[in-house]
């Protein structure tokens, strides 16, 4: 659980309570980790499969986690919360019939969240499941002394990058001053 307390938070299995009104993954294993947003400090996923999940946000471990509405699109930017790419987002696309509920909401990637009404009768749409190109939680070897590479979407300075748009991977290091190393692939050998 130590990695849960760091800025590069890891996923932990935790059976949080969540609003399952519009849930395409009922009964799946639940994982939670910290976010960068003080207004929504925890993100939870309910797994349908290793690549498909319901995304919810919470203000505390013991509070009910709520759905996430998108005011400028159909929710692809919510892949940010699980380390995925907006361009790789696949969604249920059932947001046009989603019931109106209280949830977290925002309009664009990187914006803070507020709590309010979301659903098909509001400007804030949400889906019953998402696929974001990542598989929460990280593989077990990511949190061991002999770490492994893990596909993860991270922000980086692209000024000197000759490999834009490639898949990105991270691995834990043994250095406390630089605990994570990231790479972006140009192709299979570079």
């Amino acid at each position: 659980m130590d990695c849960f307390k760091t800025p590069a938070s890891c996923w932990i299995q935790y059976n949080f309570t969540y609003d399952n009104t519009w849930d395409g993954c009922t009964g799946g294993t639940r994982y939670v980790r910290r976010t960068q947003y003080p207004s929504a400090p925890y993100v939870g996923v309910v797994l349908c499969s290793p690549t498909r999940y319901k995304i919810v946000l919470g203000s505390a471990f013991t509070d009910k986690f709520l759905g996430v509405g998108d005011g400028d699109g159909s929710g692809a930017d919510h892949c940010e919360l699980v380390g995925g790419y907006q361009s790789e987002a696949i969604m249920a696309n059932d947001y046009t019939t989603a019931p109106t509920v209280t949830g977290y909401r925002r309009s664009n990637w990187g914006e803070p969240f507020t709590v309010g009404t979301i659903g098909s009768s509001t400007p804030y749409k949400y889906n019953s499941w998402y696929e974001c190109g990542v598989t929460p939680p990280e593989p077990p070897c990511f949190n061991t002394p002999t770490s492994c590479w893990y596909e993860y979407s991270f922000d980086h300075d692209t000024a000197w990058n000759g490999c834009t748009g490639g898949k990105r991977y991270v691995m834990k290091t043994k250095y406390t001053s630089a605990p994570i190393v990231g790479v972006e692939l140009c192709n299979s050998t570079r």
Side-chain angles (χ1 to χ4, degrees):
M1 246 299 276
D2 289 338
C3 69
F4 191 72
K5 298 174 184 173
T6 66
S9 180
C10 63
W11 292 101
I12 61 165
Q13 188 173 348
Y14 181 72
N15 285 327
F16 54 85
T17 303
Y18 69 102
D19 180 352
N20 63 359
T21 303
W22 197 241
D23 183 6
C25 302
T26 303
T29 305
R30 300 175 207 165
Y31 293 92
V32 66
R33 76 174 185 183
R34 290 180 40 190
T35 74
Q36 66 181 356
Y37 298 102
S39 59
Y42 300 100
V43 59
V45 293
V46 182
L47 299 184
C48 299
S49 72
T51 59
R52 181 175 291 178
Y53 26 81
K54 171 74 175 171
I55 300 173
V56 291
L57 290 170
S59 59
F61 256 6
T62 54
D63 290 349
K64 181 185 266 190
F65 281 57
L66 305 174
V68 189
D70 187 352
D72 186 27
S74 57
D77 62 303
H78 298 150
C79 286
E80 170 195 9
L81 298 166
V82 296
Y85 295 101
Q86 188 169 350
S87 62
E88 293 184 8
I90 298 170
M91 297 156 293
N93 285 327
D94 54 6
Y95 60 89
T96 59
T97 56
T100 301
V101 298
T102 298
Y104 286 89
R105 61 191 195 179
R106 71 172 184 192
S107 293
N108 297 295
W109 185 292
E111 289 181 352
F113 292 90
T114 59
V115 175
T117 305
I118 63 174
S120 60
S121 66
T122 77
Y124 297 94
K125 309 303 182 213
Y126 70 109
N127 287 282
S128 62
W129 58 261
Y130 297 83
E131 291 181 8
C132 297
V134 295
T135 56
E138 295 96 358
C141 67
F142 192 73
N143 293 310
T144 64
T146 54
S147 187
C148 63
W149 288 102
Y150 175 71
E151 187 173 344
Y152 186 81
S153 173
F154 56 86
D155 291 327
H156 62 91
D157 182 358
T158 58
W160 296 97
N161 185 5
C163 299
T164 57
K167 289 204 180 252
R168 299 175 191 168
Y169 294 87
V170 294
M171 181 171 69
K172 278 198 170 179
T173 71
K174 62 181 178 180
Y175 305 104
T176 55
S177 61
I180 306 287
V181 62
V183 297
E184 181 173 15
L185 301 182
C186 298
N187 57 45
S188 62
T189 59
R190 186 168 73 105

